[in-house]
PDB file of all heavy atoms in Angstrom:
ATOM      1  N   LYS J  18      -4.783 -17.703   7.871  1.00 96.00           N
ATOM      2  CA  LYS J  18      -5.717 -18.762   8.276  1.00 96.00           C
ATOM      3  C   LYS J  18      -6.859 -18.191   9.107  1.00 96.00           C
ATOM      4  O   LYS J  18      -8.029 -18.551   8.902  1.00 96.00           O
ATOM      5  CB  LYS J  18      -4.976 -19.833   9.073  1.00 96.00           C
ATOM      6  CG  LYS J  18      -5.880 -20.972   9.542  1.00 96.00           C
ATOM      7  CD  LYS J  18      -5.091 -22.072  10.223  1.00 96.00           C
ATOM      8  CE  LYS J  18      -4.583 -21.617  11.576  1.00 96.00           C
ATOM      9  NZ  LYS J  18      -3.937 -22.729  12.335  1.00 96.00           N
ATOM     10  N   SER J  19      -6.557 -17.286  10.032  1.00 96.00           N
ATOM     11  CA  SER J  19      -7.608 -16.673  10.846  1.00 96.00           C
ATOM     12  C   SER J  19      -8.582 -15.885   9.979  1.00 96.00           C
ATOM     13  O   SER J  19      -9.801 -15.932  10.179  1.00 96.00           O
ATOM     14  CB  SER J  19      -6.988 -15.759  11.901  1.00 96.00           C
ATOM     15  OG  SER J  19      -6.228 -16.494  12.835  1.00 96.00           O
ATOM     16  N   GLY J  20      -8.044 -15.165   8.997  1.00 96.00           N
ATOM     17  CA  GLY J  20      -8.905 -14.434   8.086  1.00 96.00           C
ATOM     18  C   GLY J  20      -9.798 -15.346   7.281  1.00 96.00           C
ATOM     19  O   GLY J  20     -11.002 -15.082   7.114  1.00 96.00           O
ATOM     20  N   ALA J  21      -9.228 -16.461   6.792  1.00 95.00           N
ATOM     21  CA  ALA J  21     -10.007 -17.406   5.988  1.00 95.00           C
ATOM     22  C   ALA J  21     -11.121 -18.047   6.802  1.00 95.00           C
ATOM     23  O   ALA J  21     -12.240 -18.236   6.314  1.00 95.00           O
ATOM     24  CB  ALA J  21      -9.078 -18.473   5.415  1.00 95.00           C
ATOM     25  N   GLU J  22     -10.825 -18.366   8.060  1.00 95.00           N
ATOM     26  CA  GLU J  22     -11.854 -18.979   8.903  1.00 95.00           C
ATOM     27  C   GLU J  22     -13.010 -18.015   9.149  1.00 95.00           C
ATOM     28  O   GLU J  22     -14.178 -18.409   9.134  1.00 95.00           O
ATOM     29  CB  GLU J  22     -11.217 -19.424  10.220  1.00 95.00           C
ATOM     30  CG  GLU J  22     -10.284 -20.622  10.054  1.00 95.00           C
ATOM     31  CD  GLU J  22      -9.500 -20.941  11.323  1.00 95.00           C
ATOM     32  OE1 GLU J  22      -9.533 -20.106  12.257  1.00 95.00           O
ATOM     33  OE2 GLU J  22      -8.872 -22.011  11.373  1.00 95.00           O
ATOM     34  N   ALA J  23     -12.688 -16.753   9.375  1.00 94.00           N
ATOM     35  CA  ALA J  23     -13.748 -15.765   9.575  1.00 94.00           C
ATOM     36  C   ALA J  23     -14.547 -15.555   8.302  1.00 94.00           C
ATOM     37  O   ALA J  23     -15.769 -15.352   8.341  1.00 94.00           O
ATOM     38  CB  ALA J  23     -13.133 -14.442  10.040  1.00 94.00           C
ATOM     39  N   GLY J  24     -13.886 -15.593   7.160  1.00 91.00           N
ATOM     40  CA  GLY J  24     -14.576 -15.415   5.890  1.00 91.00           C
ATOM     41  C   GLY J  24     -15.575 -16.513   5.614  1.00 91.00           C
ATOM     42  O   GLY J  24     -16.666 -16.262   5.088  1.00 91.00           O
ATOM     43  N   ALA J  25     -15.225 -17.734   5.976  1.00 90.00           N
ATOM     44  CA  ALA J  25     -16.131 -18.860   5.752  1.00 90.00           C
ATOM     45  C   ALA J  25     -17.431 -18.675   6.530  1.00 90.00           C
ATOM     46  O   ALA J  25     -18.524 -18.990   6.036  1.00 90.00           O
ATOM     47  CB  ALA J  25     -15.448 -20.161   6.162  1.00 90.00           C
ATOM     48  N   ALA J  26     -17.325 -18.126   7.738  1.00 91.00           N
ATOM     49  CA  ALA J  26     -18.517 -17.921   8.566  1.00 91.00           C
ATOM     50  C   ALA J  26     -19.388 -16.775   8.062  1.00 91.00           C
ATOM     51  O   ALA J  26     -20.586 -16.718   8.364  1.00 91.00           O
ATOM     52  CB  ALA J  26     -18.097 -17.658  10.010  1.00 91.00           C
ATOM     53  N   ALA J  27     -18.796 -15.860   7.289  1.00 89.00           N
ATOM     54  CA  ALA J  27     -19.534 -14.672   6.840  1.00 89.00           C
ATOM     55  C   ALA J  27     -19.939 -14.731   5.377  1.00 89.00           C
ATOM     56  O   ALA J  27     -20.537 -13.780   4.869  1.00 89.00           O
ATOM     57  CB  ALA J  27     -18.681 -13.422   7.080  1.00 89.00           C
ATOM     58  N   ALA J  28     -19.630 -15.826   4.691  1.00 86.00           N
ATOM     59  CA  ALA J  28     -19.829 -15.881   3.240  1.00 86.00           C
ATOM     60  C   ALA J  28     -21.272 -15.717   2.823  1.00 86.00           C
ATOM     61  O   ALA J  28     -21.565 -15.177   1.747  1.00 86.00           O
ATOM     62  CB  ALA J  28     -19.267 -17.204   2.698  1.00 86.00           C
ATOM     63  N   ASP J  29     -22.208 -16.163   3.658  1.00 89.00           N
ATOM     64  CA  ASP J  29     -23.622 -16.072   3.281  1.00 89.00           C
ATOM     65  C   ASP J  29     -24.130 -14.639   3.268  1.00 89.00           C
ATOM     66  O   ASP J  29     -25.193 -14.354   2.719  1.00 89.00           O
ATOM     67  CB  ASP J  29     -24.476 -16.905   4.243  1.00 89.00           C
ATOM     68  CG  ASP J  29     -24.245 -18.399   4.063  1.00 89.00           C
ATOM     69  OD1 ASP J  29     -23.721 -18.789   2.992  1.00 89.00           O
ATOM     70  OD2 ASP J  29     -24.557 -19.170   4.996  1.00 89.00           O
ATOM     71  N   GLY J  30     -23.380 -13.714   3.856  1.00 89.00           N
ATOM     72  CA  GLY J  30     -23.815 -12.323   3.897  1.00 89.00           C
ATOM     73  C   GLY J  30     -23.414 -11.515   2.685  1.00 89.00           C
ATOM     74  O   GLY J  30     -23.680 -10.310   2.623  1.00 89.00           O
ATOM     75  N   GLY J  31     -22.745 -12.134   1.723  1.00 92.00           N
ATOM     76  CA  GLY J  31     -22.324 -11.431   0.521  1.00 92.00           C
ATOM     77  C   GLY J  31     -20.834 -11.134   0.540  1.00 92.00           C
ATOM     78  O   GLY J  31     -20.140 -11.307   1.553  1.00 92.00           O
ATOM     79  N   LEU J  32     -20.325 -10.666  -0.597  1.00 95.00           N
ATOM     80  CA  LEU J  32     -18.887 -10.463  -0.743  1.00 95.00           C
ATOM     81  C   LEU J  32     -18.366  -9.367   0.177  1.00 95.00           C
ATOM     82  O   LEU J  32     -17.288  -9.492   0.762  1.00 95.00           O
ATOM     83  CB  LEU J  32     -18.557 -10.132  -2.202  1.00 95.00           C
ATOM     84  CG  LEU J  32     -17.075 -10.099  -2.565  1.00 95.00           C
ATOM     85  CD1 LEU J  32     -16.404 -11.442  -2.288  1.00 95.00           C
ATOM     86  CD2 LEU J  32     -16.885  -9.710  -4.041  1.00 95.00           C
ATOM     87  N   SER J  33     -19.118  -8.291   0.348  1.00 94.00           N
ATOM     88  CA  SER J  33     -18.676  -7.202   1.217  1.00 94.00           C
ATOM     89  C   SER J  33     -18.543  -7.672   2.659  1.00 94.00           C
ATOM     90  O   SER J  33     -17.550  -7.364   3.345  1.00 94.00           O
ATOM     91  CB  SER J  33     -19.636  -6.015   1.144  1.00 94.00           C
ATOM     92  OG  SER J  33     -19.586  -5.396  -0.127  1.00 94.00           O
ATOM     93  N   ALA J  34     -19.547  -8.396   3.138  1.00 94.00           N
ATOM     94  CA  ALA J  34     -19.490  -8.912   4.507  1.00 94.00           C
ATOM     95  C   ALA J  34     -18.335  -9.886   4.670  1.00 94.00           C
ATOM     96  O   ALA J  34     -17.652  -9.909   5.702  1.00 94.00           O
ATOM     97  CB  ALA J  34     -20.817  -9.587   4.866  1.00 94.00           C
ATOM     98  N   LEU J  35     -18.114 -10.696   3.630  1.00 96.00           N
ATOM     99  CA  LEU J  35     -17.027 -11.681   3.691  1.00 96.00           C
ATOM    100  C   LEU J  35     -15.669 -11.006   3.822  1.00 96.00           C
ATOM    101  O   LEU J  35     -14.887 -11.314   4.736  1.00 96.00           O
ATOM    102  CB  LEU J  35     -17.072 -12.549   2.429  1.00 96.00           C
ATOM    103  CG  LEU J  35     -16.090 -13.726   2.315  1.00 96.00           C
ATOM    104  CD1 LEU J  35     -16.624 -14.756   1.344  1.00 96.00           C
ATOM    105  CD2 LEU J  35     -14.700 -13.287   1.834  1.00 96.00           C
ATOM    106  N   VAL J  36     -15.348 -10.071   2.928  1.00 95.00           N
ATOM    107  CA  VAL J  36     -14.011  -9.471   2.940  1.00 95.00           C
ATOM    108  C   VAL J  36     -13.804  -8.604   4.172  1.00 95.00           C
ATOM    109  O   VAL J  36     -12.684  -8.489   4.686  1.00 95.00           O
ATOM    110  CB  VAL J  36     -13.742  -8.669   1.650  1.00 95.00           C
ATOM    111  CG1 VAL J  36     -13.773  -9.587   0.433  1.00 95.00           C
ATOM    112  CG2 VAL J  36     -14.712  -7.506   1.485  1.00 95.00           C
ATOM    113  N   THR J  37     -14.888  -8.004   4.685  1.00 95.00           N
ATOM    114  CA  THR J  37     -14.775  -7.222   5.912  1.00 95.00           C
ATOM    115  C   THR J  37     -14.422  -8.122   7.084  1.00 95.00           C
ATOM    116  O   THR J  37     -13.550  -7.789   7.909  1.00 95.00           O
ATOM    117  CB  THR J  37     -16.091  -6.469   6.190  1.00 95.00           C
ATOM    118  OG1 THR J  37     -16.350  -5.571   5.106  1.00 95.00           O
ATOM    119  CG2 THR J  37     -16.015  -5.690   7.496  1.00 95.00           C
ATOM    120  N   ALA J  38     -15.082  -9.273   7.170  1.00 96.00           N
ATOM    121  CA  ALA J  38     -14.792 -10.222   8.252  1.00 96.00           C
ATOM    122  C   ALA J  38     -13.375 -10.772   8.123  1.00 96.00           C
ATOM    123  O   ALA J  38     -12.665 -10.943   9.126  1.00 96.00           O
ATOM    124  CB  ALA J  38     -15.811 -11.366   8.219  1.00 96.00           C
ATOM    125  N   VAL J  39     -12.954 -11.066   6.904  1.00 96.00           N
ATOM    126  CA  VAL J  39     -11.605 -11.589   6.672  1.00 96.00           C
ATOM    127  C   VAL J  39     -10.551 -10.594   7.132  1.00 96.00           C
ATOM    128  O   VAL J  39      -9.613 -10.933   7.865  1.00 96.00           O
ATOM    129  CB  VAL J  39     -11.412 -11.925   5.177  1.00 96.00           C
ATOM    130  CG1 VAL J  39      -9.930 -12.189   4.865  1.00 96.00           C
ATOM    131  CG2 VAL J  39     -12.241 -13.142   4.793  1.00 96.00           C
ATOM    132  N   ALA J  40     -10.694  -9.347   6.700  1.00 96.00           N
ATOM    133  CA  ALA J  40      -9.697  -8.335   7.032  1.00 96.00           C
ATOM    134  C   ALA J  40      -9.661  -8.058   8.536  1.00 96.00           C
ATOM    135  O   ALA J  40      -8.580  -7.916   9.127  1.00 96.00           O
ATOM    136  CB  ALA J  40      -9.983  -7.043   6.261  1.00 96.00           C
ATOM    137  N   GLN J  41     -10.835  -7.995   9.161  1.00 95.00           N
ATOM    138  CA  GLN J  41     -10.888  -7.728  10.601  1.00 95.00           C
ATOM    139  C   GLN J  41     -10.240  -8.863  11.387  1.00 95.00           C
ATOM    140  O   GLN J  41      -9.455  -8.632  12.318  1.00 95.00           O
ATOM    141  CB  GLN J  41     -12.339  -7.540  11.041  1.00 95.00           C
ATOM    142  CG  GLN J  41     -12.519  -7.331  12.551  1.00 95.00           C
ATOM    143  CD  GLN J  41     -11.844  -6.079  13.064  1.00 95.00           C
ATOM    144  OE1 GLN J  41     -11.756  -5.079  12.348  1.00 95.00           O
ATOM    145  NE2 GLN J  41     -11.350  -6.134  14.295  1.00 95.00           N
ATOM    146  N   ALA J  42     -10.567 -10.105  11.042  1.00 96.00           N
ATOM    147  CA  ALA J  42      -9.996 -11.250  11.757  1.00 96.00           C
ATOM    148  C   ALA J  42      -8.481 -11.317  11.561  1.00 96.00           C
ATOM    149  O   ALA J  42      -7.746 -11.687  12.479  1.00 96.00           O
ATOM    150  CB  ALA J  42     -10.651 -12.538  11.269  1.00 96.00           C
ATOM    151  N   ALA J  43      -8.019 -10.969  10.380  1.00 96.00           N
ATOM    152  CA  ALA J  43      -6.574 -10.980  10.128  1.00 96.00           C
ATOM    153  C   ALA J  43      -5.872  -9.938  10.988  1.00 96.00           C
ATOM    154  O   ALA J  43      -4.788 -10.191  11.543  1.00 96.00           O
ATOM    155  CB  ALA J  43      -6.302 -10.729   8.646  1.00 96.00           C
ATOM    156  N   ARG J  44      -6.480  -8.749  11.110  1.00 95.00           N
ATOM    157  CA  ARG J  44      -5.875  -7.718  11.958  1.00 95.00           C
ATOM    158  C   ARG J  44      -5.818  -8.153  13.420  1.00 95.00           C
ATOM    159  O   ARG J  44      -4.831  -7.908  14.121  1.00 95.00           O
ATOM    160  CB  ARG J  44      -6.643  -6.397  11.823  1.00 95.00           C
ATOM    161  CG  ARG J  44      -6.449  -5.708  10.479  1.00 95.00           C
ATOM    162  CD  ARG J  44      -7.002  -4.283  10.508  1.00 95.00           C
ATOM    163  NE  ARG J  44      -8.454  -4.243  10.636  1.00 95.00           N
ATOM    164  CZ  ARG J  44      -9.308  -4.277   9.614  1.00 95.00           C
ATOM    165  NH1 ARG J  44      -8.852  -4.367   8.371  1.00 95.00           N
ATOM    166  NH2 ARG J  44     -10.617  -4.212   9.822  1.00 95.00           N
ATOM    167  N   GLU J  45      -6.863  -8.823  13.865  1.00 95.00           N
ATOM    168  CA  GLU J  45      -6.861  -9.322  15.243  1.00 95.00           C
ATOM    169  C   GLU J  45      -5.806 -10.410  15.423  1.00 95.00           C
ATOM    170  O   GLU J  45      -5.108 -10.452  16.457  1.00 95.00           O
ATOM    171  CB  GLU J  45      -8.244  -9.849  15.595  1.00 95.00           C
ATOM    172  CG  GLU J  45      -9.307  -8.760  15.654  1.00 95.00           C
ATOM    173  CD  GLU J  45     -10.712  -9.303  15.812  1.00 95.00           C
ATOM    174  OE1 GLU J  45     -10.858 -10.553  15.809  1.00 95.00           O
ATOM    175  OE2 GLU J  45     -11.664  -8.502  15.926  1.00 95.00           O
ATOM    176  N   ALA J  46      -5.670 -11.278  14.429  1.00 96.00           N
ATOM    177  CA  ALA J  46      -4.643 -12.325  14.499  1.00 96.00           C
ATOM    178  C   ALA J  46      -3.249 -11.724  14.490  1.00 96.00           C
ATOM    179  O   ALA J  46      -2.329 -12.219  15.155  1.00 96.00           O
ATOM    180  CB  ALA J  46      -4.818 -13.295  13.330  1.00 96.00           C
ATOM    181  N   LEU J  47      -3.082 -10.645  13.728  1.00 95.00           N
ATOM    182  CA  LEU J  47      -1.782  -9.964  13.705  1.00 95.00           C
ATOM    183  C   LEU J  47      -1.421  -9.463  15.106  1.00 95.00           C
ATOM    184  O   LEU J  47      -0.269  -9.596  15.540  1.00 95.00           O
ATOM    185  CB  LEU J  47      -1.826  -8.791  12.719  1.00 95.00           C
ATOM    186  CG  LEU J  47      -0.565  -7.940  12.633  1.00 95.00           C
ATOM    187  CD1 LEU J  47       0.599  -8.746  12.085  1.00 95.00           C
ATOM    188  CD2 LEU J  47      -0.805  -6.705  11.777  1.00 95.00           C
ATOM    189  N   GLY J  48      -2.385  -8.898  15.817  1.00 94.00           N
ATOM    190  CA  GLY J  48      -2.122  -8.421  17.166  1.00 94.00           C
ATOM    191  C   GLY J  48      -1.681  -9.530  18.101  1.00 94.00           C
ATOM    192  O   GLY J  48      -0.885  -9.301  19.025  1.00 94.00           O
ATOM    193  N   ARG J  49      -2.171 -10.757  17.860  1.00 95.00           N
ATOM    194  CA  ARG J  49      -1.795 -11.879  18.731  1.00 95.00           C
ATOM    195  C   ARG J  49      -0.395 -12.402  18.460  1.00 95.00           C
ATOM    196  O   ARG J  49       0.175 -13.118  19.285  1.00 95.00           O
ATOM    197  CB  ARG J  49      -2.809 -13.024  18.572  1.00 95.00           C
ATOM    198  CG  ARG J  49      -4.210 -12.678  19.049  1.00 95.00           C
ATOM    199  CD  ARG J  49      -5.077 -13.928  19.140  1.00 95.00           C
ATOM    200  NE  ARG J  49      -5.348 -14.520  17.823  1.00 95.00           N
ATOM    201  CZ  ARG J  49      -6.389 -14.221  17.067  1.00 95.00           C
ATOM    202  NH1 ARG J  49      -7.240 -13.277  17.457  1.00 95.00           N
ATOM    203  NH2 ARG J  49      -6.575 -14.823  15.910  1.00 95.00           N
TER     204      ARG J  49
END
């Protein structure tokens, strides 16, 4: 869910920006 929320905010930057934001947010959520 954290990854998906970050992806929605980054979608306008293109697919690369989207998946990078998704993966980063998921890793941060994993730490929590």
Side-chain angles (χ1 to χ4, degrees):
K18 180 175 71 173
S19 294
E22 289 172 349
D29 290 341
L32 189 59
S33 292
L35 185 157
V36 297
T37 299
V39 168
Q41 177 63 32
R44 289 191 293 272
E45 293 172 357
L47 177 65
R49 295 192 293 269

